[in-house]
Amino acid sequence: MGERKVLNKYYPAEFDPSKIKMVRKPKINHQVKSRMMLPMSIRCNTCGNYIYKGTKFNSRKEEAIAHKYLSIPVFRFYFKCTCCSAELSIRTDPRNSDYIVESGATRNFEPWRAQDEETDNAKRRRDSEEKGDPLKALENRTLDSKRLMDNHADLDELMSINSRHATVSLDATLAALANTSADEDKEDEFLAKSIFNSPKQVIKRISDDSSSNRESSSNGLKKKRKLSESAVIINVVKKHVASSSNNSPGRKETKPEEHKKPNHATTSLQSLFQNYDSDEEDDD
């Protein structure tokens, strides 16, 4: 028993440690077995089985030499599907503090993850714009300050509303609601009574005789107006002729009285009668 537990080793007298060559072996990426929990929900591409977040696996871990972020090593994990035993692999993503599915499965859609990606992309785009343009950086800072002031104003308004509502008790609100409902019921009752209990308004129909009389009277008035408009006053002017007894040589003949000029409407008719003598001259 004592020979098997010897701690010291025998070195012969002719032993020369300088003759032993120290050869460095190439660095081999050794895989290490590790127990892990799935960090996200995935779906196997082979059998379509869903593997949910938090499922435990016996995996093999290795360093992904081709992938590196700011001198931070990236590790790859190999594990098998719980249904069909197909090999799946994921690797770490130190840039986004997350994991990436490499092969054998697809990651389930997560809406909050898409929103986070959009915000990260917008932040990166803004940083790239502000690098070579100081005016753009100043504009972004002014917009941020304005947005912050608006948020403070909204917060103050909400706080004032909450302080007003804090003084109102539950019993008072219930009583106010009951009073408003009672007032609305009274208004509805009054409106219904005013509609259904009001006297009926009778509208008389116009008879046919009265309408015909009105039409005949209106037609008569129209005819009278037309006749009055078309009527023309005719004035006959007679010449005054002296009698035979008065035709003495000593006396002068009396001239007919000059009449006033007639209206323009009767001048055409008066000109027709001026050349004719009166009836007395015809009898002589």
Side-chain angles (χ1 to χ4, degrees), residues 17-27:
S18 61
K19 292 180 180 180
I20 300 173
K21 294 180 179 180
M22 299 295 292
V23 180
R24 288 188 177 183
K25 295 182 180 180
K27 189 177 180 181

Side-chain angles (χ1 to χ4, degrees), residues 111-164:
W112 59 86
R113 183 165 166 266
Q115 188 175 1
D116 293 341
E117 287 180 357
E118 287 180 1
T119 53
D120 292 341
N121 293 332
K123 188 176 180 181
R124 292 194 199 96
R125 199 181 307 112
R126 178 176 174 176
D127 293 339
S128 63
E129 288 177 354
E130 291 179 355
K131 272 186 179 179
D133 194 356
L135 292 176
K136 188 69 175 178
L138 179 62
E139 184 180 356
N140 291 335
R141 283 197 295 273
T142 53
L143 290 174
D144 291 339
S145 62
K146 185 178 179 182
R147 194 180 300 110
L148 186 62
M149 291 173 65
D150 294 339
N151 293 336
H152 282 306
D154 295 339
L155 185 60
D156 293 338
E157 186 177 357
L158 290 173
M159 290 174 68
S160 63
I161 290 169
N162 291 333
S163 63
R164 285 200 301 271

